[in-house]
Amino acid sequence: MRFERIVILLNGEPADPAAVRRLVRAGAVLLCADGGARHAAAWGLEPRIVIGDMDSLPKRLPRWRSTVYL
């Protein structure tokens, strides 16, 4: 499978949340590095992959069905 665009969210403050939403809704793959999943949850986006040691994740995240945790 080949992806045109991949958006990576980190545990920092994103520069342009609206741009992230537009890219993901247009078909970009969302990859969250650890605490970046907090941003995805707040914006109603489902990451394809969450990677990291998961120490920056909140206790309550949505139950994303197709998300892979590495």
Side-chain angles (χ1 to χ4, degrees), residues 2-70:
R2 189 177 138 200
F3 303 112
E4 293 292 320
R5 292 188 175 152
I6 297 175
V7 174
I8 301 172
L9 285 181
L10 306 174
N11 194 25
E13 192 59 40
D16 189 354
V20 172
R21 283 190 212 99
R22 280 193 305 274
L23 286 168
V24 172
R25 290 183 177 142
V29 172
L30 180 58
L31 184 149
C32 294
D34 218 359
R38 290 182 303 110
H39 298 303
W43 302 336
L45 300 174
E46 182 174 343
R48 179 82 54 90
I49 299 170
V50 176
I51 188 167
D53 59 8
M54 310 307 170
D55 68 337
S56 299
L57 295 179
K59 300 270 189 247
R60 302 184 126 222
L61 276 176
R63 291 183 180 230
W64 293 309
R65 290 183 175 198
S66 61
T67 300
V68 175
Y69 295 87
L70 301 173

